[in-house]
Amino acid sequence: MENLMFVYRSCKVIWTLLITILGYASSLPVGDDSICTAEELAKYSIIFTGKWSQTAFPKQYPLYRPPAQWSSMLGVTHSSDYSMWKKNEYASNGVRDFAEKGEAWVLMKEIEEAGEKIQSVHGIFSAPAISSGTGHTSTELEVHSRHPLVSFVVRIVPSPDWFVGIDSLSLCEGDHWMEEVSVDLFPYDAGTDSGFTFSSPNFATIPQDTVTEITCSSPSHPANSFYYPKLKILPPIAQVTMVKIKKNQLGLPVPYLNLPAKSNEIIDSVSETPLDCEVSQWSSWGLCRGVCRKTGTKIRTRFVLLQPANNGMPCPNLDEETGCEPENCV
């Protein structure tokens, strides 16, 4: 009988330990590859720099109605249980509305619901829009050791459903927070509108496609505003920098004094993307003109579709002449 009681008590202890371990494991972020053991909270300055210039992106560069610009930034600090957007996956309704129209209400609701249901969100941050393709905007964000990931989106304006952003970038490296992080940003297609150019009319993608990166050769259509077949990769259209705000001896944040003012023009050098001239197909040959019983001439023409820029291939001749025999001679 004593042996049975001993076995019972031993099993009860083991079961209690197992429940405790499983309970602790369930409280950790799902799918988190490395646990952050840094101090609980850290604050960062986040600076978004637009590099969308006519020099770097000369093809169909929007100059008016509206000119090239950036929407406000909407971002979140979170755990691996939450994802704002992800390459090769379908965009949520909130990301669709933001990428197509710059409307943030649905996306904000999705973030809030994720935070309430699975406690995967620590905080939301935003930064003002930039009224030109080049310039700066900035704000502050706070990360937590259980929510060390940063995601955000900024809409490219004008565009069908194009945006730039970061998906789940961790600012924690084991037992410490990173001091500074800079990331070059490239355009993405939300997969909800099939327009090819910055100013394309609304044309819903049915069925919806996944989020894809736009490159100099994809989509592989000459009408695409980012189609530069002579390039290997597109130059960065934007950049984001996150700088940890240090604390002074009193424990108060020390302001980051080198923050650029919002919408300042970019001072550093910008890469020049060559743009070749594009011309239309030849027209039909015109009437043959000349004196009867002598060789006459006829002409065909074409016109410029896209002017060259940044030492791109110049335009060829726009008219061509050839010999012919005049018709209707008596």
Side-chain angles (χ1 to χ4, degrees):
M1 185 70 179
E2 291 180 359
N3 289 338
L4 288 174
M5 289 298 294
F6 176 76
V7 170
Y8 170 76
R9 287 171 184 156
S10 299
C11 290
K12 188 174 182 181
V13 170
I14 293 171
W15 180 251
T16 302
L17 287 172
L18 184 60
I19 291 296
T20 303
I21 292 170
L22 289 174
Y24 171 74
S26 66
S27 68
L28 295 176
V30 176
D32 201 14
D33 295 329
S34 59
I35 304 301
C36 177
T37 59
E39 60 179 334
E40 193 172 63
L41 296 174
K43 285 191 174 182
Y44 284 80
S45 295
I46 178 169
I47 308 102
F48 177 88
T49 303
K51 296 189 172 184
W52 184 19
S53 68
Q54 191 171 7
T55 302
F57 299 91
K59 187 174 182 181
Q60 302 167 3
Y61 188 80
L63 295 173
Y64 53 89
R65 296 183 182 179
Q69 56 190 276
W70 299 96
S71 76
S72 58
M73 172 194 291
L74 180 60
V76 60
T77 55
H78 59 97
S79 70
S80 58
D81 297 331
Y82 173 76
S83 176
M84 175 183 267
W85 66 275
K86 197 170 290 293
K87 183 179 177 180
N88 297 326
E89 293 188 7
Y90 293 104
S92 67
N93 290 337
V95 171
R96 177 200 63 201
D97 287 356
F98 191 88
E100 289 188 10
K101 298 174 283 187
E103 296 177 358
W105 303 113
V106 177
L107 183 54
M108 288 279 289
K109 188 69 175 176
E110 291 174 353
I111 295 170
E112 290 171 2
E113 288 176 353
E116 291 171 0
K117 288 182 179 178
I118 54 177
Q119 299 181 347
S120 57
V121 172
H122 179 69
I124 299 172
F125 59 91
S126 63
I130 303 175
S131 59
S132 61
T134 60
H136 304 276
T137 187
S138 62
T139 188
E140 293 183 1
L141 61 87
E142 183 180 79
V143 284
H144 188 280
S145 56
R146 293 196 301 272
H147 304 86
L149 307 180
V150 176
S151 297
F152 72 82
V153 286
V154 180
R155 181 177 181 245
I156 298 173
V157 183
S159 75
D161 60 341
W162 302 341
F163 69 96
V164 298
I166 279 181
D167 166 37
S168 303
L169 173 67
S170 179
L171 296 180
C172 183
E173 286 188 323
D175 61 353
H176 67 278
W177 296 105
M178 301 172 73
E179 292 297 324
E180 182 172 338
V181 185
S182 288
V183 181
D184 287 333
L185 303 177
F186 299 89
Y188 280 89
D189 186 321
T192 60
D193 191 292
S194 297
F196 269 129
T197 67
F198 295 120
S199 57
S200 291
N202 185 42
F203 183 48
T205 302
I206 301 175
Q208 181 178 333
D209 205 349
T210 58
V211 175
T212 55
E213 183 176 352
I214 300 172
T215 70
C216 56
S217 58
S218 179
S220 58
H221 193 292
N224 189 273
S225 294
F226 287 111
Y227 185 72
Y228 296 96
K230 288 191 174 182
L231 296 182
K232 291 184 178 180
I233 60 170
L234 286 174
I237 196 170
Q239 185 183 66
V240 67
T241 301
M242 285 167 276
V243 181
K244 187 173 182 289
I245 300 176
K246 301 181 185 298
K247 293 182 179 179
N248 61 19
Q249 293 180 347
L250 297 176
L252 299 175
V254 176
Y256 182 63
L257 299 178
N258 293 324
L259 280 179
K262 181 172 75 74
S263 294
N264 279 353
E265 287 300 310
I266 304 301
I267 298 174
D268 58 350
S269 59
V270 179
S271 59
E272 291 191 354
T273 302
L275 185 65
D276 294 342
C277 177
E278 293 182 10
V279 295
S280 67
Q281 297 292 322
W282 287 110
S283 67
S284 301
W285 287 104
L287 295 175
C288 184
R289 299 181 181 278
V291 180
C292 288
R293 292 181 293 278
K294 290 187 178 180
T295 301
T297 58
K298 58 182 178 181
I299 297 174
R300 63 177 181 176
T301 61
R302 54 187 174 184
F303 56 90
V304 175
L305 296 172
L306 190 65
Q307 292 286 352
N310 304 329
N311 298 314
M313 191 75 69
C315 293
N317 290 332
L318 300 179
D319 53 71
E320 187 175 63
E321 186 177 290
T322 188
C324 60
E325 294 294 330
E327 299 177 359
N328 301 325
C329 284
V330 179

